[in-house]
Amino acid sequence: MKFRPLHDRVVVKRIDSEEKTKGGIIIPDTAKEKPQEGEIVAAGPGARDESGKLVPLDVKAGDRVLFGKWSGTEVKIDGEDLLIMKESDIMGVIA
């Protein structure tokens, strides 16, 4: 991928959720919600504070993260569906 996000933005690839419930019921594609979990593909260098000093991001490429249902902007890069969002839209990193 030849895309580098700027400032405090990250590129996230959604991770598909399970196709079955715990009880064994198969969920059809039309009833599925978009997953709120993803993997960071690329991250910007960070934001600048009031004094102009660069504040690095807390996340890096390869981290699995949770984000809000309506977070980010959907884009297609190299035929792959991705999300571009600010670091502040990320709720947390999955260990």
Side-chain angles (χ1 to χ4, degrees), residues 69-84:
K69 189 179 281 192
W70 307 110
S71 297
T73 302
E74 294 182 359
V75 296
K76 190 170 250 187
I77 301 173
D78 294 337
E80 193 172 14
D81 291 325
L82 301 169
L83 286 169
I84 298 175

Side-chain angles (χ1 to χ4, degrees), residues 4 7 17 25 35 41 50 52 58 64 67 78-79:
R4 182 178 55 92
H7 308 294
S17 58
I25 298 171
V41 178
E50 291 86 27
D58 289 331
R64 287 178 64 123
F67 49 88
D78 294 337

Side-chain angles (χ1 to χ4, degrees), residues 11-30:
V11 179
V12 178
K13 178 181 177 184
R14 288 187 194 266
I15 297 174
D16 291 330
S17 58
E18 292 291 318
E19 306 222 347
K20 275 191 210 178
T21 63
K22 290 182 182 179
I25 298 171
I26 296 174
I27 303 169
D29 288 338
T30 56

Side-chain angles (χ1 to χ4, degrees), residues 45-92:
R48 298 213 179 259
D49 62 10
E50 291 86 27
S51 64
K53 183 179 155 197
L54 186 68
V55 179
L57 300 180
D58 289 331
V59 295
K60 61 188 180 307
D63 285 350
R64 287 178 64 123
V65 295
L66 290 177
F67 49 88
K69 189 179 281 192
W70 307 110
S71 297
T73 302
E74 294 182 359
V75 296
K76 190 170 250 187
I77 301 173
D78 294 337
E80 193 172 14
D81 291 325
L82 301 169
L83 286 169
I84 298 175
M85 66 180 70
K86 286 190 165 239
E87 183 189 33
S88 59
D89 291 339
I90 296 172
M91 292 188 265

